[in-house]
Amino acid sequence: MKYIDSAIVKLTDVSKRYTVENLALHRVSLEVQKGEFIFLTGPSGSGKSTLLKLLFCAERPTEGTIRVDGMDISTLTPSQIPMLRRRVGVIFQDFKLLGRHTVFDNVALSLEVLGLKTSQVEKRVREIVANVGLIGKLEQKAIELSGGEQQRVAIARAVVNRPPIILADEPTGNLDRDRTNEVMELMEELNARGTTIIFATHDEKLFENTHRRVIRLENGRLVK
Amino acid sequence: MIAGIIYKRALSDIRQNLTNQAMTILVVALSMLLLLFFALFSFNLRHFVEELGSKLGIVVYLKKEVPQESIPALYKRISELKGIESVNYTSSEDAFRKLKKYLADEQQVLEGVDANFLPPSFEIQIDRAVFNIERIREVAAELSTWKEVSKVQYGQEWIDRLEVFSGLTQRALVGAGLLLLITTAFVVANTIKLTTYARQDELEILRLVGATNMFITGPFLLEAFFQGLAGSLLATGIVYATTQYLQSLLSQHPLFKEVELVFLPLSYTAAIIGGSIIVCITGTAISMRRFLKL
């Protein structure tokens, strides 16, 4: 369902309860404007990943409403979920790549699901893989790449279909400082081109000297 | 376009997971092998019973007063009955000659006996193509109503036994066959379930990038089609080769020279290959259901 609003992501009194004892999020309300780059931080188990999962419909809220790019997630039917996921690129700490497939195959996946022609897929994959600096490794299997390279492939896959929103769940968690800086540079570039980025991390160094908005979660509650 | 991508993905998946594919095809082939051998046994048993039955003829004894001139007309009437393969006339004299020959050294028992004491008869063979036990009964019943006929013999006891045996084995085979089919479906479905579990990361990634259920399941169902086809074709080939081999062994043995081992008809093999494909596709669809939620 389309909804006209200035915010590209809007959560209103959202709670998520997994079990009676396990309340992952408690009445969280949050707005993210189009083109914004926000950091979502907090200790492990504070609800960062749950919040991101709610935004790409990997989980459903127990209470409250969520709107993402004009879509009301609480009313989405299972057949509409793929449409939402094509509008939201997701990057994980563990990359989630098809290890035995090539870099090209992994990145092309996001375009193949759209039913694009092979020539279009090839052109766009080459462009984006060149942008992340891996054009020389296009035909290499993902499993043969270093951690930093795998994360760049994951980023390329997340952005190749030009989604307006990127959700990054601890994308630098498995990387050293140099690889982390490379990933952060890529994120800044994407944001400069107008992509809204929600970046979940517990590494405070990443936003110490930044002007970006920082949202802090503790025990499932928004504290900042 | 999507269909083309699904086909391409299925081929790529087969290449990427050759070991899993080979294992699944092997399990399908072994399960189908059991079913095929069972069907082969069942079919050959029925074939054997029918062959045996079709060799049983009907003997029609005529009344002695039937004039010789009416024999050709009677012959024609019998030949025109539905499902008759051959009719042979034996006159009283021929029957006497045959009896003498049969008695060989004991011919003296026939001394002084009138050469016409045996009634003339017709020996009838039912057409093998339309043979069934009921048809023998019908023909025999009809012939016994003719005024020229004194007695009709057709191995009543043999036919009754054959019928009971055939009915019992048929029921036992259908029951056992159904059980085997269920077991086959269960084994195949579970093997596919295991291979689907092994690829759940891939399914998760596909869902993550916004693949529809059709996009995700399409290649898996296509692979299941190939697995079902390849497995059942492999099993059919093995059973065919075994049948040929056994037939060549039997034909060399003097005791079993007459026994004919026949391979399953096309309709049977087509049903087993089709069934194998359906079992594989259904097993895959059921296994994938849980991965497609949310």
Side-chain angles (χ1 to χ4, degrees), chain B residues 62-121:
Chain B
L62 300 176
K63 289 174 180 164
K64 281 190 178 166
E65 58 269 27
V66 175
Q68 190 66 32
E69 308 84 71
S70 60
I71 297 298
L74 267 173
Y75 181 92
K76 191 166 178 281
R77 264 178 81 193
I78 294 171
S79 305
E80 281 170 1
L81 286 173
K82 202 178 134 201
I84 302 296
E85 189 178 77
S86 66
V87 182
N88 284 314
Y89 175 68
T90 309
S91 65
S92 297
E93 294 78 13
D94 288 342
F96 189 73
R97 266 197 296 277
K98 276 185 191 172
L99 183 61
K100 268 176 84 175
K101 197 179 167 191
Y102 179 72
L103 289 171
D105 296 340
E106 312 289 331
Q107 282 184 21
Q108 65 273 17
V109 297
L110 295 173
E111 269 172 28
V113 176
D114 183 3
N116 285 326
F117 91 102
L118 290 168
S121 62

Short mmCIF file of all heavy atoms in Angstrom, two decimals, chain B residues 62-121:
data_model
loop_
_atom_site.label_atom_id
_atom_site.label_comp_id
_atom_site.label_asym_id
_atom_site.label_seq_id
_atom_site.Cartn_x
_atom_site.Cartn_y
_atom_site.Cartn_z
N LEU B 62 -19.98 -84.22 -30.75
CA LEU B 62 -21.25 -84.16 -31.47
C LEU B 62 -22.04 -85.45 -31.22
O LEU B 62 -21.46 -86.49 -30.87
CB LEU B 62 -20.98 -84.01 -32.97
CG LEU B 62 -20.20 -82.74 -33.37
CD1 LEU B 62 -19.92 -82.78 -34.88
CD2 LEU B 62 -20.95 -81.48 -33.01
N LYS B 63 -23.35 -85.34 -31.45
CA LYS B 63 -24.19 -86.54 -31.33
C LYS B 63 -23.88 -87.45 -32.51
O LYS B 63 -23.58 -86.95 -33.61
CB LYS B 63 -25.65 -86.13 -31.32
CG LYS B 63 -26.06 -85.41 -30.03
CD LYS B 63 -27.46 -84.88 -30.09
CE LYS B 63 -27.81 -84.17 -28.78
NZ LYS B 63 -28.98 -83.32 -28.91
N LYS B 64 -23.97 -88.77 -32.29
CA LYS B 64 -23.59 -89.72 -33.34
C LYS B 64 -24.48 -89.59 -34.57
O LYS B 64 -24.06 -89.85 -35.69
CB LYS B 64 -23.64 -91.15 -32.80
CG LYS B 64 -22.41 -91.47 -31.98
CD LYS B 64 -22.35 -92.93 -31.66
CE LYS B 64 -21.09 -93.21 -30.89
NZ LYS B 64 -21.13 -94.53 -30.27
N GLU B 65 -25.75 -89.16 -34.32
CA GLU B 65 -26.70 -89.11 -35.43
C GLU B 65 -26.50 -87.90 -36.33
O GLU B 65 -27.17 -87.75 -37.34
CB GLU B 65 -28.16 -89.16 -34.94
CG GLU B 65 -28.55 -88.04 -33.98
CD GLU B 65 -28.32 -88.42 -32.51
OE1 GLU B 65 -27.43 -89.26 -32.24
OE2 GLU B 65 -29.00 -87.86 -31.63
N VAL B 66 -25.57 -87.02 -35.96
CA VAL B 66 -25.34 -85.83 -36.81
C VAL B 66 -24.79 -86.27 -38.17
O VAL B 66 -23.76 -86.95 -38.22
CB VAL B 66 -24.34 -84.85 -36.14
CG1 VAL B 66 -24.01 -83.67 -37.07
CG2 VAL B 66 -24.90 -84.31 -34.84
N PRO B 67 -25.51 -85.94 -39.27
CA PRO B 67 -25.05 -86.41 -40.58
C PRO B 67 -23.74 -85.76 -41.00
O PRO B 67 -23.49 -84.59 -40.65
CB PRO B 67 -26.20 -86.01 -41.53
CG PRO B 67 -26.96 -84.94 -40.80
CD PRO B 67 -26.75 -85.13 -39.34
N GLN B 68 -22.96 -86.49 -41.75
CA GLN B 68 -21.64 -86.03 -42.22
C GLN B 68 -21.76 -84.73 -43.03
O GLN B 68 -20.90 -83.86 -42.94
CB GLN B 68 -21.03 -87.16 -43.09
CG GLN B 68 -19.57 -86.95 -43.45
CD GLN B 68 -18.65 -87.01 -42.21
OE1 GLN B 68 -18.94 -87.73 -41.25
NE2 GLN B 68 -17.61 -86.21 -42.23
N GLU B 69 -22.88 -84.58 -43.78
CA GLU B 69 -23.05 -83.42 -44.66
C GLU B 69 -23.19 -82.11 -43.87
O GLU B 69 -22.88 -81.04 -44.39
CB GLU B 69 -24.32 -83.54 -45.55
CG GLU B 69 -24.45 -84.83 -46.32
CD GLU B 69 -25.08 -85.92 -45.44
OE1 GLU B 69 -26.29 -85.86 -45.13
OE2 GLU B 69 -24.32 -86.82 -45.05
N SER B 70 -23.64 -82.21 -42.62
CA SER B 70 -23.85 -80.95 -41.86
C SER B 70 -22.56 -80.48 -41.16
O SER B 70 -22.52 -79.42 -40.56
CB SER B 70 -24.98 -81.10 -40.84
OG SER B 70 -24.64 -82.14 -39.94
N ILE B 71 -21.48 -81.30 -41.24
CA ILE B 71 -20.22 -80.93 -40.57
C ILE B 71 -19.64 -79.61 -41.10
O ILE B 71 -19.30 -78.73 -40.30
CB ILE B 71 -19.17 -82.09 -40.67
CG1 ILE B 71 -19.68 -83.33 -39.95
CG2 ILE B 71 -17.80 -81.66 -40.14
CD1 ILE B 71 -19.92 -83.21 -38.45
N PRO B 72 -19.53 -79.42 -42.44
CA PRO B 72 -18.98 -78.14 -42.91
C PRO B 72 -19.75 -76.93 -42.40
O PRO B 72 -19.16 -75.92 -42.03
CB PRO B 72 -19.06 -78.27 -44.44
CG PRO B 72 -19.09 -79.74 -44.70
CD PRO B 72 -19.83 -80.33 -43.56
N ALA B 73 -21.11 -77.03 -42.36
CA ALA B 73 -21.93 -75.91 -41.89
C ALA B 73 -21.66 -75.65 -40.42
O ALA B 73 -21.52 -74.49 -39.97
CB ALA B 73 -23.40 -76.22 -42.11
N LEU B 74 -21.52 -76.76 -39.62
CA LEU B 74 -21.23 -76.62 -38.18
C LEU B 74 -19.85 -75.97 -37.98
O LEU B 74 -19.67 -75.10 -37.13
CB LEU B 74 -21.21 -78.00 -37.52
CG LEU B 74 -22.52 -78.48 -36.90
CD1 LEU B 74 -22.38 -79.92 -36.44
CD2 LEU B 74 -22.91 -77.59 -35.72
N TYR B 75 -18.90 -76.45 -38.79
CA TYR B 75 -17.53 -75.91 -38.74
C TYR B 75 -17.56 -74.38 -38.95
O TYR B 75 -16.94 -73.61 -38.22
CB TYR B 75 -16.68 -76.58 -39.82
CG TYR B 75 -15.24 -76.13 -39.84
CD1 TYR B 75 -14.27 -76.81 -39.12
CD2 TYR B 75 -14.85 -75.01 -40.58
CE1 TYR B 75 -12.95 -76.39 -39.13
CE2 TYR B 75 -13.54 -74.58 -40.59
CZ TYR B 75 -12.58 -75.28 -39.87
OH TYR B 75 -11.29 -74.85 -39.88
N LYS B 76 -18.38 -73.99 -39.95
CA LYS B 76 -18.47 -72.57 -40.29
C LYS B 76 -19.11 -71.78 -39.13
O LYS B 76 -18.64 -70.70 -38.75
CB LYS B 76 -19.30 -72.41 -41.57
CG LYS B 76 -19.25 -71.03 -42.19
CD LYS B 76 -19.79 -71.05 -43.61
CE LYS B 76 -19.78 -69.66 -44.22
NZ LYS B 76 -20.88 -68.84 -43.77
N ARG B 77 -20.16 -72.39 -38.55
CA ARG B 77 -20.87 -71.70 -37.46
C ARG B 77 -19.93 -71.48 -36.26
O ARG B 77 -19.90 -70.41 -35.66
CB ARG B 77 -22.05 -72.55 -36.98
CG ARG B 77 -23.38 -72.13 -37.63
CD ARG B 77 -24.47 -73.05 -37.14
NE ARG B 77 -24.98 -72.68 -35.84
CZ ARG B 77 -25.77 -73.46 -35.08
NH1 ARG B 77 -26.12 -74.63 -35.52
NH2 ARG B 77 -26.20 -73.03 -33.93
N ILE B 78 -19.14 -72.51 -35.98
CA ILE B 78 -18.21 -72.40 -34.82
C ILE B 78 -17.12 -71.35 -35.13
O ILE B 78 -16.81 -70.50 -34.30
CB ILE B 78 -17.57 -73.77 -34.48
CG1 ILE B 78 -18.64 -74.73 -33.98
CG2 ILE B 78 -16.47 -73.61 -33.42
CD1 ILE B 78 -18.17 -76.18 -33.80
N SER B 79 -16.60 -71.41 -36.34
CA SER B 79 -15.53 -70.48 -36.71
C SER B 79 -15.98 -69.03 -36.64
O SER B 79 -15.18 -68.12 -36.40
CB SER B 79 -15.05 -70.75 -38.15
OG SER B 79 -14.67 -72.07 -38.25
N GLU B 80 -17.29 -68.84 -36.86
CA GLU B 80 -17.81 -67.46 -36.86
C GLU B 80 -18.08 -66.92 -35.46
O GLU B 80 -18.39 -65.75 -35.30
CB GLU B 80 -19.08 -67.39 -37.71
CG GLU B 80 -18.74 -67.36 -39.20
CD GLU B 80 -19.97 -67.54 -40.09
OE1 GLU B 80 -21.09 -67.69 -39.55
OE2 GLU B 80 -19.79 -67.53 -41.31
N LEU B 81 -17.95 -67.78 -34.45
CA LEU B 81 -18.15 -67.29 -33.06
C LEU B 81 -17.03 -66.28 -32.72
O LEU B 81 -15.90 -66.44 -33.20
CB LEU B 81 -18.09 -68.45 -32.08
CG LEU B 81 -19.31 -69.38 -32.04
CD1 LEU B 81 -19.02 -70.58 -31.15
CD2 LEU B 81 -20.55 -68.66 -31.54
N LYS B 82 -17.36 -65.32 -31.87
CA LYS B 82 -16.40 -64.27 -31.54
C LYS B 82 -15.18 -64.82 -30.76
O LYS B 82 -15.37 -65.60 -29.83
CB LYS B 82 -17.10 -63.20 -30.69
CG LYS B 82 -16.43 -61.85 -30.70
CD LYS B 82 -17.23 -60.87 -29.87
CE LYS B 82 -16.30 -60.09 -28.97
NZ LYS B 82 -16.99 -59.50 -27.84
N GLY B 83 -14.00 -64.42 -31.17
CA GLY B 83 -12.79 -64.76 -30.42
C GLY B 83 -12.27 -66.17 -30.64
O GLY B 83 -11.54 -66.70 -29.81
N ILE B 84 -12.65 -66.82 -31.74
CA ILE B 84 -12.17 -68.18 -32.01
C ILE B 84 -10.91 -68.10 -32.89
O ILE B 84 -10.90 -67.41 -33.91
CB ILE B 84 -13.26 -69.01 -32.76
CG1 ILE B 84 -14.55 -69.07 -31.94
CG2 ILE B 84 -12.74 -70.41 -33.11
CD1 ILE B 84 -14.44 -69.78 -30.61
N GLU B 85 -9.87 -68.79 -32.45
CA GLU B 85 -8.63 -68.74 -33.22
C GLU B 85 -8.59 -69.87 -34.25
O GLU B 85 -8.27 -69.64 -35.41
CB GLU B 85 -7.43 -68.86 -32.28
CG GLU B 85 -6.11 -68.60 -32.99
CD GLU B 85 -4.94 -68.68 -32.03
OE1 GLU B 85 -4.55 -69.81 -31.68
OE2 GLU B 85 -4.44 -67.62 -31.64
N SER B 86 -8.89 -71.09 -33.79
CA SER B 86 -8.85 -72.21 -34.73
C SER B 86 -9.88 -73.27 -34.37
O SER B 86 -10.26 -73.40 -33.19
CB SER B 86 -7.45 -72.83 -34.74
OG SER B 86 -7.20 -73.41 -33.49
N VAL B 87 -10.32 -73.99 -35.39
CA VAL B 87 -11.29 -75.07 -35.16
C VAL B 87 -10.77 -76.30 -35.93
O VAL B 87 -10.41 -76.19 -37.11
CB VAL B 87 -12.70 -74.68 -35.70
CG1 VAL B 87 -13.70 -75.81 -35.42
CG2 VAL B 87 -13.17 -73.37 -35.09
N ASN B 88 -10.70 -77.44 -35.26
CA ASN B 88 -10.25 -78.67 -35.92
C ASN B 88 -11.30 -79.76 -35.74
O ASN B 88 -11.76 -80.02 -34.62
CB ASN B 88 -8.93 -79.16 -35.32
CG ASN B 88 -7.78 -78.32 -35.82
OD1 ASN B 88 -7.68 -78.05 -37.02
ND2 ASN B 88 -6.95 -77.89 -34.89
N TYR B 89 -11.64 -80.38 -36.85
CA TYR B 89 -12.65 -81.45 -36.79
C TYR B 89 -11.96 -82.81 -36.68
O TYR B 89 -10.97 -83.07 -37.35
CB TYR B 89 -13.53 -81.39 -38.05
CG TYR B 89 -14.52 -82.53 -38.14
CD1 TYR B 89 -15.59 -82.61 -37.23
CD2 TYR B 89 -14.38 -83.52 -39.10
CE1 TYR B 89 -16.49 -83.66 -37.30
CE2 TYR B 89 -15.28 -84.59 -39.17
CZ TYR B 89 -16.33 -84.65 -38.26
OH TYR B 89 -17.21 -85.70 -38.32
N THR B 90 -12.49 -83.64 -35.79
CA THR B 90 -11.99 -85.01 -35.66
C THR B 90 -13.18 -85.95 -35.84
O THR B 90 -14.11 -85.94 -35.02
CB THR B 90 -11.35 -85.23 -34.26
OG1 THR B 90 -10.40 -84.20 -34.05
CG2 THR B 90 -10.66 -86.58 -34.16
N SER B 91 -13.12 -86.74 -36.92
CA SER B 91 -14.22 -87.68 -37.16
C SER B 91 -14.09 -88.87 -36.21
O SER B 91 -13.05 -89.04 -35.55
CB SER B 91 -14.18 -88.15 -38.62
OG SER B 91 -12.99 -88.89 -38.80
N SER B 92 -15.12 -89.71 -36.17
CA SER B 92 -15.09 -90.89 -35.30
C SER B 92 -13.91 -91.79 -35.66
O SER B 92 -13.21 -92.30 -34.77
CB SER B 92 -16.38 -91.72 -35.48
OG SER B 92 -17.47 -90.94 -35.07
N GLU B 93 -13.67 -91.93 -37.00
CA GLU B 93 -12.58 -92.79 -37.46
C GLU B 93 -11.23 -92.22 -37.03
O GLU B 93 -10.36 -92.96 -36.55
CB GLU B 93 -12.59 -92.94 -39.00
CG GLU B 93 -13.78 -93.68 -39.57
CD GLU B 93 -15.04 -92.82 -39.65
OE1 GLU B 93 -14.92 -91.57 -39.49
OE2 GLU B 93 -16.13 -93.37 -39.80
N ASP B 94 -11.07 -90.89 -37.18
CA ASP B 94 -9.82 -90.24 -36.77
C ASP B 94 -9.58 -90.42 -35.28
O ASP B 94 -8.46 -90.69 -34.84
CB ASP B 94 -9.86 -88.73 -37.10
CG ASP B 94 -9.75 -88.48 -38.59
OD1 ASP B 94 -9.30 -89.41 -39.30
OD2 ASP B 94 -10.12 -87.37 -39.03
N ALA B 95 -10.66 -90.26 -34.52
CA ALA B 95 -10.54 -90.39 -33.06
C ALA B 95 -10.11 -91.80 -32.70
O ALA B 95 -9.26 -91.99 -31.83
CB ALA B 95 -11.89 -90.04 -32.40
N PHE B 96 -10.67 -92.78 -33.42
CA PHE B 96 -10.32 -94.18 -33.16
C PHE B 96 -8.85 -94.43 -33.48
O PHE B 96 -8.13 -95.08 -32.72
CB PHE B 96 -11.24 -95.08 -34.01
CG PHE B 96 -11.10 -96.53 -33.66
CD1 PHE B 96 -11.64 -97.04 -32.47
CD2 PHE B 96 -10.43 -97.42 -34.51
CE1 PHE B 96 -11.51 -98.38 -32.15
CE2 PHE B 96 -10.30 -98.77 -34.17
CZ PHE B 96 -10.84 -99.24 -32.99
N ARG B 97 -8.42 -93.85 -34.61
CA ARG B 97 -7.00 -94.01 -35.01
C ARG B 97 -6.06 -93.41 -33.96
O ARG B 97 -5.07 -94.00 -33.58
CB ARG B 97 -6.78 -93.33 -36.37
CG ARG B 97 -6.92 -94.31 -37.55
CD ARG B 97 -6.30 -93.73 -38.81
NE ARG B 97 -6.98 -92.54 -39.26
CZ ARG B 97 -8.09 -92.55 -40.01
NH1 ARG B 97 -8.62 -93.71 -40.38
NH2 ARG B 97 -8.65 -91.43 -40.39
N LYS B 98 -6.46 -92.23 -33.49
CA LYS B 98 -5.63 -91.55 -32.47
C LYS B 98 -5.56 -92.39 -31.20
O LYS B 98 -4.50 -92.51 -30.58
CB LYS B 98 -6.24 -90.18 -32.12
CG LYS B 98 -5.84 -89.08 -33.08
CD LYS B 98 -6.39 -87.74 -32.56
CE LYS B 98 -6.25 -86.66 -33.59
NZ LYS B 98 -6.92 -85.43 -33.19
N LEU B 99 -6.69 -92.98 -30.84
CA LEU B 99 -6.75 -93.78 -29.61
C LEU B 99 -5.85 -95.01 -29.75
O LEU B 99 -5.09 -95.36 -28.84
CB LEU B 99 -8.20 -94.20 -29.33
CG LEU B 99 -8.44 -95.00 -28.05
CD1 LEU B 99 -8.04 -94.19 -26.81
CD2 LEU B 99 -9.90 -95.44 -27.92
N LYS B 100 -5.92 -95.63 -30.95
CA LYS B 100 -5.09 -96.80 -31.20
C LYS B 100 -3.60 -96.45 -31.07
O LYS B 100 -2.82 -97.17 -30.46
CB LYS B 100 -5.36 -97.35 -32.61
CG LYS B 100 -6.44 -98.42 -32.62
CD LYS B 100 -6.75 -98.87 -34.02
CE LYS B 100 -5.79 -99.95 -34.49
NZ LYS B 100 -6.18 -100.47 -35.81
N LYS B 101 -3.28 -95.32 -31.65
CA LYS B 101 -1.88 -94.86 -31.61
C LYS B 101 -1.44 -94.60 -30.17
O LYS B 101 -0.33 -94.93 -29.76
CB LYS B 101 -1.76 -93.59 -32.46
CG LYS B 101 -0.33 -93.24 -32.83
CD LYS B 101 -0.30 -92.00 -33.68
CE LYS B 101 1.11 -91.48 -33.79
NZ LYS B 101 1.15 -90.15 -34.38
N TYR B 102 -2.36 -94.01 -29.40
CA TYR B 102 -2.08 -93.68 -28.01
C TYR B 102 -1.86 -94.93 -27.18
O TYR B 102 -0.97 -95.01 -26.34
CB TYR B 102 -3.24 -92.84 -27.45
CG TYR B 102 -3.08 -92.47 -26.00
CD1 TYR B 102 -2.14 -91.50 -25.62
CD2 TYR B 102 -3.85 -93.08 -25.02
CE1 TYR B 102 -2.00 -91.15 -24.30
CE2 TYR B 102 -3.71 -92.75 -23.69
CZ TYR B 102 -2.78 -91.77 -23.33
OH TYR B 102 -2.62 -91.46 -22.01
N LEU B 103 -2.69 -95.94 -27.47
CA LEU B 103 -2.58 -97.17 -26.69
C LEU B 103 -1.34 -97.99 -27.07
O LEU B 103 -0.86 -98.81 -26.28
CB LEU B 103 -3.85 -98.04 -26.88
CG LEU B 103 -5.11 -97.47 -26.21
CD1 LEU B 103 -6.34 -98.25 -26.63
CD2 LEU B 103 -4.99 -97.48 -24.69
N ALA B 104 -0.86 -97.77 -28.26
CA ALA B 104 0.37 -98.42 -28.76
C ALA B 104 0.38 -99.94 -28.50
O ALA B 104 -0.34 -100.64 -29.19
CB ALA B 104 1.60 -97.73 -28.16
N ASP B 105 1.11 -100.40 -27.46
CA ASP B 105 1.25 -101.83 -27.20
C ASP B 105 -0.01 -102.47 -26.61
O ASP B 105 -0.13 -103.68 -26.52
CB ASP B 105 2.42 -102.06 -26.23
CG ASP B 105 3.73 -101.62 -26.87
OD1 ASP B 105 3.76 -101.53 -28.12
OD2 ASP B 105 4.70 -101.38 -26.12
N GLU B 106 -0.93 -101.62 -26.16
CA GLU B 106 -2.15 -102.13 -25.51
C GLU B 106 -3.33 -102.16 -26.46
O GLU B 106 -4.47 -102.20 -26.04
CB GLU B 106 -2.51 -101.23 -24.30
CG GLU B 106 -1.36 -100.92 -23.36
CD GLU B 106 -0.94 -102.13 -22.56
OE1 GLU B 106 -1.80 -102.99 -22.28
OE2 GLU B 106 0.26 -102.23 -22.24
N GLN B 107 -3.03 -102.15 -27.76
CA GLN B 107 -4.11 -102.03 -28.75
C GLN B 107 -5.14 -103.17 -28.70
O GLN B 107 -6.28 -103.02 -29.15
CB GLN B 107 -3.51 -101.94 -30.15
CG GLN B 107 -2.96 -100.58 -30.48
CD GLN B 107 -2.47 -100.49 -31.90
OE1 GLN B 107 -2.85 -101.29 -32.75
NE2 GLN B 107 -1.61 -99.53 -32.15
N GLN B 108 -4.73 -104.29 -28.12
CA GLN B 108 -5.64 -105.45 -28.11
C GLN B 108 -6.95 -105.16 -27.39
O GLN B 108 -7.95 -105.79 -27.65
CB GLN B 108 -4.96 -106.70 -27.52
CG GLN B 108 -4.58 -106.61 -26.06
CD GLN B 108 -3.20 -105.99 -25.85
OE1 GLN B 108 -2.64 -105.34 -26.73
NE2 GLN B 108 -2.66 -106.17 -24.66
N VAL B 109 -6.94 -104.15 -26.50
CA VAL B 109 -8.19 -103.83 -25.78
C VAL B 109 -9.27 -103.32 -26.72
O VAL B 109 -10.45 -103.33 -26.40
CB VAL B 109 -7.96 -102.79 -24.64
CG1 VAL B 109 -7.05 -103.32 -23.57
CG2 VAL B 109 -7.50 -101.45 -25.18
N LEU B 110 -8.85 -102.90 -27.91
CA LEU B 110 -9.82 -102.37 -28.87
C LEU B 110 -10.33 -103.41 -29.86
O LEU B 110 -11.15 -103.12 -30.73
CB LEU B 110 -9.18 -101.20 -29.66
CG LEU B 110 -8.83 -99.94 -28.85
CD1 LEU B 110 -8.07 -98.95 -29.72
CD2 LEU B 110 -10.07 -99.28 -28.29
N GLU B 111 -9.83 -104.62 -29.70
CA GLU B 111 -10.25 -105.68 -30.63
C GLU B 111 -11.76 -105.90 -30.54
O GLU B 111 -12.32 -106.00 -29.44
CB GLU B 111 -9.50 -106.98 -30.31
CG GLU B 111 -8.20 -107.08 -31.10
CD GLU B 111 -7.36 -108.26 -30.66
OE1 GLU B 111 -7.94 -109.26 -30.18
OE2 GLU B 111 -6.12 -108.16 -30.78
N GLY B 112 -12.40 -105.96 -31.70
CA GLY B 112 -13.84 -106.22 -31.75
C GLY B 112 -14.69 -105.00 -31.50
O GLY B 112 -15.91 -105.02 -31.55
N VAL B 113 -14.02 -103.88 -31.21
CA VAL B 113 -14.78 -102.64 -30.94
C VAL B 113 -15.07 -101.93 -32.26
O VAL B 113 -14.19 -101.87 -33.13
CB VAL B 113 -13.98 -101.70 -29.99
CG1 VAL B 113 -14.71 -100.39 -29.79
CG2 VAL B 113 -13.75 -102.37 -28.65
N ASP B 114 -16.30 -101.42 -32.39
CA ASP B 114 -16.69 -100.71 -33.61
C ASP B 114 -15.83 -99.46 -33.79
O ASP B 114 -15.66 -98.68 -32.84
CB ASP B 114 -18.17 -100.31 -33.48
CG ASP B 114 -18.68 -99.62 -34.74
OD1 ASP B 114 -17.91 -99.50 -35.70
OD2 ASP B 114 -19.85 -99.17 -34.72
N ALA B 115 -15.29 -99.26 -34.98
CA ALA B 115 -14.41 -98.10 -35.25
C ALA B 115 -15.16 -96.78 -35.13
O ALA B 115 -14.54 -95.72 -35.05
CB ALA B 115 -13.81 -98.22 -36.64
N ASN B 116 -16.49 -96.84 -35.08
CA ASN B 116 -17.28 -95.60 -34.97
C ASN B 116 -17.81 -95.37 -33.56
O ASN B 116 -18.69 -94.53 -33.37
CB ASN B 116 -18.47 -95.64 -35.94
CG ASN B 116 -18.02 -95.41 -37.37
OD1 ASN B 116 -17.08 -94.66 -37.61
ND2 ASN B 116 -18.65 -96.10 -38.30
N PHE B 117 -17.25 -96.11 -32.59
CA PHE B 117 -17.85 -95.98 -31.24
C PHE B 117 -17.55 -94.61 -30.59
O PHE B 117 -18.24 -94.18 -29.70
CB PHE B 117 -17.43 -97.15 -30.35
CG PHE B 117 -16.18 -96.90 -29.55
CD1 PHE B 117 -16.27 -96.57 -28.19
CD2 PHE B 117 -14.91 -96.99 -30.14
CE1 PHE B 117 -15.12 -96.35 -27.47
CE2 PHE B 117 -13.78 -96.77 -29.41
CZ PHE B 117 -13.86 -96.44 -28.06
N LEU B 118 -16.50 -93.94 -31.05
CA LEU B 118 -16.17 -92.62 -30.47
C LEU B 118 -16.95 -91.53 -31.22
O LEU B 118 -17.08 -91.60 -32.44
CB LEU B 118 -14.67 -92.34 -30.59
CG LEU B 118 -13.78 -93.20 -29.71
CD1 LEU B 118 -12.32 -93.05 -30.12
CD2 LEU B 118 -13.93 -92.79 -28.25
N PRO B 119 -17.44 -90.52 -30.48
CA PRO B 119 -18.22 -89.50 -31.17
C PRO B 119 -17.31 -88.56 -31.97
O PRO B 119 -16.16 -88.34 -31.58
CB PRO B 119 -18.89 -88.74 -30.02
CG PRO B 119 -17.99 -88.94 -28.87
CD PRO B 119 -17.33 -90.27 -29.05
N PRO B 120 -17.82 -87.97 -33.07
CA PRO B 120 -17.01 -86.98 -33.77
C PRO B 120 -16.93 -85.71 -32.90
O PRO B 120 -17.80 -85.48 -32.06
CB PRO B 120 -17.81 -86.71 -35.06
CG PRO B 120 -19.20 -87.13 -34.76
CD PRO B 120 -19.14 -88.17 -33.69
N SER B 121 -15.87 -84.93 -33.09
CA SER B 121 -15.72 -83.74 -32.22
C SER B 121 -15.02 -82.59 -32.94
O SER B 121 -14.38 -82.79 -33.99
CB SER B 121 -14.91 -84.11 -30.98
OG SER B 121 -13.62 -84.53 -31.38
#
